Amino acid sequence: PIVACVLAGGIGSRLYPASRGERPKQFLEFGGDRSLLSQTMDRTAFADERFVLTRESFADEIHEHAPEAGLLVEPAGKDTGPALVYAAWRLRERFDRAPVLVCLPSDHHVGDDAAFAAHLERAAEIAAETDGLVTLGVEPTRPATGYGYIVPDGDADELEGASADYDGVERFTEKPDREEARRLREAGAYWNAGIFAWTPAALLREARASPLASLVEALEAGEPERGFDAVEAVSVDYAIMERASDVFVTPLPVDWDDLGTWDAVGRTRSDRDAAATNDRIAGEILPVDAANNVVAAPDRHVSLLEVEDLIVAAYDDRILVAPRTSSQRVREVVDRLRERD
Ligand code: GDD
Ligand code: MG
C-alpha cells in the first residue's frame, strides 16, 4: 500500500508574526479559501491510507483541518529527522505488505494538483523498485538558499529496469549559501521539493548509519520518549539525506513553491496592487513611489513611501519590517523573542 505522511508539526517561524505559537503556517490560508494543510490533504487522495505527523499541542486542530487522516503524534518536536524516523517505526508493521511512505510537507503551493499527485505515485513505485530513498526534484529558477540541492549522477541508463524518469544522486546539499547555490545550479542540480518516498525499512536502515542511530535504537527498545529526549533537533535533510547512500531523484515538473517565507507567499499568493508593483497578501495599501514590497496586514491600511523590497507584516499587536531578501532570517527574530520571554 501507499501511505501518505503529511508533516505538520513545524512552527513556521519564518512567517512571523502571522505564524506564531499555536497558529503555525499549516493552519493559515494565505489567499486560498482553506488552510495550507487541508489543501495538502487534497493532493494525497491517491494514497491507500493517510497520516498527519505532528506534535501533541497541534493535534486537535489538525483533526479539524484533516478529518480524513490518522494522527501520528511524536513525543517531542525535534524537527523532521526524528519525526520521519518515528513515522517509519510506527508504520513499519501496521500493514500486511510493506508499505511505501510518501512523506510531504504542508507548506507548499502547487499549480496542478492532479499532475502533482501522479508524480508522487510514480515516486512511490520507484521507492518500491529501488529500495532506496526517493526525492522529487524541481528545476531551479534562481539561486535560492532556503532549499536542498540534488545533483543527479547521470547514471539513469545503467539502473536496472529503469525508464529514464529517475536517476541516482551524486550529492545532496541542504541550504547552501548563495555562491554554492549558483555552482550547484550550474552543475545541473535540482531543488529538493522536500517530498520523499521510501519504505520504512529503507529509511530505518539509513537512519541507523546517521546521527539518528541512537533514536532508532531507543525506538527498537520500545522507548520512544527516551529516544526523543536524548536526540538533537535536526531536519531529515541534514541528518539523513546529505549522507545516505541509496538516494534517487525523479523530476517534479509542476508549478511549485514552498510557502515558508514572506518572499514566497508574496510571489505566489498575492494580488499585485493597482499599479502592479507591490505584493499585497492582506490589508489595504497606498504605494507612493514604492515597489516590490510584500504587505500582509489584515484589517489595516499601510502607506508605503519611497521604499522597495520590504516585508511589512502586521498581525495582532506585532509588526515585522525587514528587507525582502532577508526572508530566511525572520526565524532569528523568533529565536531572539523566545530568549527574551
Ligand atoms: N511533524 C513534524 N515535526 N513536522 C515538522 C517539524 C517537526 O518537528 N518541523 C517541521 N515540520 C514540518 C513543517 O510543518 C513543514 O510542513 C515541513 O515539516 C518542512 O519543514 P520546513 O521547516 O518548512 O523545511 P524547509 O522548507 O526549511 O526545508 C525543507 O523543504 C524544502 C522544500 O520545501 C527541506 O527538505 C529542503 O531541502 C527543501 O528544499
Ligand atoms: Mg518549507
Side-chain angles (χ1 to χ4, degrees), residues 37 39-40 48 54 61 65 71 78 80 94 115 135 160 163 176 182 200 237 278 282 321 328 335:
L37 176 57
Q39 294 175 35
T40 305
D48 298 300
T54 194
E61 195 160 354
H65 292 255
L71 269 186
K78 292 285 176 96
T80 57
R94 202 190 146 93
T135 60
E160 205 170 321
S163 47
R182 207 165 279 132
D237 318 284
N278 295 284
V321 180
Q328 294 287 345
D335 291 343

Side-chain angles (χ1 to χ4, degrees), residues 7-10 14 25-26 53-55 74 77-80 83 105-108 146-148 172 174-175 192-194 196 237 256 258 331:
L7 286 156
R14 285 166 294 183
K25 61 185 166 184
Q26 52 271 31
L53 201 51
T54 194
R55 59 180 72 194
E74 341 115 36
K78 292 285 176 96
D79 213 327
T80 57
S106 49
D107 63 343
H108 287 174
Y147 296 144
F172 184 108
E174 179 64 4
K175 297 189 173 50
N192 171 35
F196 306 103
D237 318 284
W256 171 92
D258 173 313
R331 69 162 95 243

Side-chain angles (χ1 to χ4, degrees), residues 89-108:
W89 176 71
R90 287 278 307 268
L91 298 173
R92 77 201 186 294
E93 280 167 0
R94 202 190 146 93
F95 305 93
D96 309 339
R97 284 181 305 124
V100 177
L101 311 184
V102 174
C103 306
L104 66 163
S106 49
D107 63 343
H108 287 174

Side-chain angles (χ1 to χ4, degrees), residues 106-189:
S106 49
D107 63 343
H108 287 174
H109 161 85
V110 171
D112 180 343
D113 282 0
F116 178 85
H119 287 288
L120 265 55
E121 255 189 292
R122 176 64 191 135
E125 283 173 17
I126 298 170
E129 268 166 49
T130 60
D131 192 35
L133 309 186
V134 178
T135 60
L136 285 100
V138 174
E139 205 67 57
T141 50
R142 55 181 192 283
T145 54
Y147 296 144
Y149 282 71
I150 302 167
V151 183
D153 66 11
D155 290 343
D157 302 342
E158 295 160 29
L159 291 168
E160 205 170 321
S163 47
D165 71 347
Y166 70 97
D167 207 340
V169 168
E170 183 182 299
R171 194 146 66 93
F172 184 108
T173 307
E174 179 64 4
K175 297 189 173 50
D177 62 26
R178 197 156 288 271
E179 208 25 62
E180 177 76 2
R182 207 165 279 132
R183 271 200 297 274
L184 285 160
R185 236 183 115 188
E186 276 160 22

Side-chain angles (χ1 to χ4, degrees), residues 303-324:
S303 304
L304 300 165
L305 174 64
E306 279 183 53
V307 286
E308 283 186 7
D309 300 305
L310 285 185
I311 300 163
V312 179
Y315 285 77
D316 311 323
D317 60 346
R318 302 296 176 104
I319 299 179
L320 170 81
V321 180
R324 196 162 171 161

Side-chain angles (χ1 to χ4, degrees), residues 2-328:
I2 300 183
V3 178
C5 295
V6 174
L7 286 156
I11 53 173
S13 48
R14 285 166 294 183
L15 290 175
Y16 173 87
S19 175
R20 271 174 76 196
E22 296 306 295
R23 189 183 58 201
K25 61 185 166 184
Q26 52 271 31
F27 300 141
L28 303 176
E29 291 157 13
F30 287 137
D33 53 356
R34 288 172 313 122
S35 66
L36 297 184
L37 176 57
S38 76
Q39 294 175 35
T40 305
M41 297 316 297
D42 290 354
R43 300 179 198 125
T44 58
F46 66 88
D48 298 300
E49 275 210 56
R50 296 187 274 176
F51 292 90
V52 178
L53 201 51
T54 194
R55 59 180 72 194
E56 183 69 52
S57 59
F58 298 161
D60 291 344
E61 195 160 354
I62 297 272
H63 185 69
E64 280 169 37
H65 292 255
E68 62 279 66
L71 269 186
L72 287 178
V73 177
E74 341 115 36
K78 292 285 176 96
D79 213 327
T80 57
L84 289 169
V85 167
Y86 181 73
W89 176 71
R90 287 278 307 268
L91 298 173
R92 77 201 186 294
E93 280 167 0
R94 202 190 146 93
F95 305 93
D96 309 339
R97 284 181 305 124
V100 177
L101 311 184
V102 174
C103 306
L104 66 163
S106 49
D107 63 343
H108 287 174
H109 161 85
V110 171
D112 180 343
D113 282 0
F116 178 85
H119 287 288
L120 265 55
E121 255 189 292
R122 176 64 191 135
E125 283 173 17
I126 298 170
E129 268 166 49
T130 60
D131 192 35
L133 309 186
V134 178
T135 60
L136 285 100
V138 174
E139 205 67 57
T141 50
R142 55 181 192 283
T145 54
Y147 296 144
Y149 282 71
I150 302 167
V151 183
D153 66 11
D155 290 343
D157 302 342
E158 295 160 29
L159 291 168
E160 205 170 321
S163 47
D165 71 347
Y166 70 97
D167 207 340
V169 168
E170 183 182 299
R171 194 146 66 93
F172 184 108
T173 307
E174 179 64 4
K175 297 189 173 50
D177 62 26
R178 197 156 288 271
E179 208 25 62
E180 177 76 2
R182 207 165 279 132
R183 271 200 297 274
L184 285 160
R185 236 183 115 188
E186 276 160 22
Y190 291 103
W191 280 337
N192 171 35
I195 302 165
F196 306 103
W198 48 52
T199 62
L203 183 72
L204 293 169
R205 180 183 72 227
E206 297 285 1
R208 277 187 207 101
S210 84
L212 299 175
S214 60
L215 174 64
V216 180
E217 179 268 314
L219 292 172
E220 282 170 347
E223 299 174 23
E225 273 80 17
R226 173 173 68 83
F228 269 80
D229 272 349
V231 77
E232 296 276 341
V234 62
S235 77
V236 70
D237 318 284
Y238 288 118
I240 298 182
M241 301 314 296
E242 281 195 339
R243 58 190 98 214
S245 44
D246 288 325
V247 185
F248 298 88
V249 60
T250 184
L252 180 63
V254 299
D255 174 22
W256 171 92
D257 216 320
D258 173 313
L259 295 175
T261 63
W262 284 118
D263 179 44
V265 178
R267 199 162 51 231
T268 51
R269 289 297 171 106
S270 67
D271 324 331
R272 280 241 144 184
D273 64 22
T277 49
N278 295 284
D279 293 318
R280 189 190 68 86
I281 295 161
E284 277 188 70
I285 63 178
L286 174 71
V288 180
D289 294 335
N292 203 35
N293 301 289
V294 43
V295 178
D299 306 320
R300 291 183 206 240
H301 191 286
V302 178
S303 304
L304 300 165
L305 174 64
E306 279 183 53
V307 286
E308 283 186 7
D309 300 305
L310 285 185
I311 300 163
V312 179
Y315 285 77
D316 311 323
D317 60 346
R318 302 296 176 104
I319 299 179
L320 170 81
V321 180
R324 196 162 171 161
T325 48
S326 297
S327 284
Q328 294 287 345

